[in-house]
Amino acid sequence: EILGIAYYLSIILLFSLELFEIVFALALLAALYSTFLLAVQIFVLRDLCSWCVLATLINYAIFISSLFL
C-alpha cells in the first residue's frame, strides 16, 4: 500500500515539475509490473482481485497518457 501511494504521489509531483521523461519511465515500469502481477493472479492463483485489476487499469491509463506528454 505504501509503495503504491508513493508511486502515485511521485507521478503527481513529477508531472507538476514537468519532468515528463521520468513520468514516462515510472509509468512504463508500473505498467510492466502490473502486467506481471495480473499474470500471476490469472495463471498461478487462478483468481482475480477487483482492486488489483482496477490498479492495473489505472497504471495502463497513466502509461498511455504519458505517451502524449
Side-chain angles (χ1 to χ4, degrees):
E1 293 176 18
I2 301 299
L3 188 59
I5 292 170
Y7 163 71
Y8 292 120
L9 289 176
S10 66
I11 289 291
I12 292 168
L13 176 68
L14 292 168
F15 183 80
S16 67
L17 295 174
E18 297 183 1
L19 297 172
F20 301 126
E21 294 84 10
I22 300 172
V23 170
F24 172 77
L26 279 178
L28 175 62
L29 290 175
L32 291 174
Y33 190 64
S34 292
T35 302
F36 166 72
L37 292 177
L38 189 63
V40 168
Q41 288 181 51
I42 293 170
F43 298 114
V44 177
L45 300 175
R46 298 188 187 275
D47 195 19
L48 288 175
C49 162
S50 58
W51 290 107
C52 301
V53 173
L54 179 63
T56 300
L57 292 174
I58 291 170
N59 285 334
Y60 288 163
I62 292 171
F63 171 67
I64 290 169
S65 64
S66 73
L67 292 173
F68 300 102
L69 296 176

